[in-house]
């Protein structure tokens, strides 16, 4: 089954009761049982819901995994992943990643004696020096947020496998349309499904997709025991959004390519971060492991101040100043004061996240309008 067919049909069947093509919203907290313990596969909606089950089957198919487990947000999904660790365990994570992930690793799980080493993964072999008997998880985010660095998933996972270490890839920026990390050796894929999977900025959702069914059962236990589950309407909205994933992401990729080239030539722009450029240090890897280069573009200004960035963010018409990404509408954000404010400034600067850095989530609007909007905002 090709991808454009998967998004519409994988794991989804007409409703057996009515024949409804769209998966119904099973808005119920509990289910009738014929007798104690004898039921139709559903007992209590925190544990299982038919709308959520359809979504989980669909997501597993899109990522070529064994099972998917859905959560109330992307951070809830990451939280469940980290709950499989024990005090004293260690994580190796990329040093350029979403601020909420950094906060969860350091401020929450750091309190339970779970240590994270934040390192550059540009050279996968550099990981070896951080591996010890306590290393239990390697956390990969690629393309990274917000610097759009590219990590060689296959190379990192090969190193992890040699040492018996589990790998999890945050695939939020790429979506399964652009890359499928399990095919490259990853054990688990994480999504903030709020973003490209939902695609319409109307739902908050998270998911983990596992290569191995045994580990998936461990995560299903945590999903039920901790209860950070999505509601059935959220699952319905996500199923709706996924049906156009390939169309939306491809249009965003096409628009991003044009915008990156425009910014590269603008006299007020200093650096443009976009893996589609041949000059990008991760371009060759991105070309190999991704189907296109994504709909995200970051850039810094020659006037490297917060005030200069704020003037641009306050002057756009079609780019809305907002957090999040991956919707049909274009968004503009300032990572240092918005999505990555929880990361100390000195740590941000180490990866190039300057005070003037601006992150664009390119939508599916007419490209001429988007370029005109940025032109007048920069002017």
């Amino acid at each position: 089954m090709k991808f454009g067919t998967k998004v519409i049909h994988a794991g989804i069947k007409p409703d057996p009761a009515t024949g409804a093509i769209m998966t119904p919203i099973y808005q119920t907290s509990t289910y009738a049982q014929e007798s104690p313990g004898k039921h139709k596969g559903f007992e209590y909606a925190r544990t299982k819901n038919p709308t959520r089950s359809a979504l989980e089957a669909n997501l597993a198919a899109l990522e070529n995994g064994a099972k998917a487990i859905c959560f109330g947000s992307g951070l809830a999904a990451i939280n469940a992943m980290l709950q499989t660790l024990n005090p004293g365990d260690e994580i190796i994570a990329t040093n350029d990643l979403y601020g909420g992930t950094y906060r969860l690793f350091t401020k929450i799980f750091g309190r339970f004696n779970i240590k994270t080493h934040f390192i550059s993964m540009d050279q996968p072999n550099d990981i070896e020096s951080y591996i010890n008997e306590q290393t239990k998880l390697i956390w990969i985010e690629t393309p990274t947020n917000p610097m759009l660095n590219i990590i060689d998933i296959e190379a990192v996972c090969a190193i992890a496998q040699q040492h018996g270490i589990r790998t999890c890839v945050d695939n939020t920026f790429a979506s399964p349309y652009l890359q499928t990390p399990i095919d490259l050796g990853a054990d688990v894929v994480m999504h903030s499904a709020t973003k490209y999977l939902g695609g319409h900025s109307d739902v908050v959702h998270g998911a983990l997709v596992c290569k191995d069914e045994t580990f998936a059962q461990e995560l299903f236990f945590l999903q039920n025991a901790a209860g950070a589950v999505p509601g059935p309407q959220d699952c319905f909205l996500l199923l709706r959004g996924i049906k156009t994933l390939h169309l939306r992401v491809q249009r965003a990729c096409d628009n991003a390519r044009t915008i990156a080239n425009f910014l590269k030539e603008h006299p007020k722009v200093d650096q443009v971060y976009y893996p589609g450029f041949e000059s990008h240090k991760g371009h060759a890897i991105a070309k190999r492991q991704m189907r296109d280069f994504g709909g995200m573009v970051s850039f810094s200004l020659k006037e490297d101040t917060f005030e200069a960035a704020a003037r641009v963010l306050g002057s756009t018409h079609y780019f809305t100043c907002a957090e999040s990404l991956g919707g049909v509408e274009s968004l503009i954000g300032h990572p240092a004061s918005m999505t990555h404010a929880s990361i100390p400034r000195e740590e941000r600067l180490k990866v190039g996240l300057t005070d003037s850095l601006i992150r664009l989530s390119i939508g599916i609007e007419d490209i001429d309008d988007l370029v005109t909007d940025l032109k007048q905002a920069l002017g």
Side-chain angles (χ1 to χ4, degrees), residues 3 6 54 61 100 112 152 162-163 198 202 233 272 298:
F3 192 87
K6 274 186 180 181
F112 304 121
D152 190 331
Q162 290 172 12
H163 294 274
D202 56 7
Q233 183 164 350
V272 181
S298 294

Side-chain angles (χ1 to χ4, degrees), residues 60 73 85 87 105 147 183 213 305 335 354 373-374:
S73 69
L85 303 177
F105 281 19
M147 303 307 299
D183 293 338
E213 191 156 344
T305 64
T354 64
D373 193 25
L374 288 175

Side-chain angles (χ1 to χ4, degrees), residues 115-126:
K115 182 179 180 180
T116 303
H117 301 277
F118 296 98
I119 68 168
S120 169
M121 294 188 183
D122 288 347
Q123 300 298 323
N125 289 333
D126 292 347

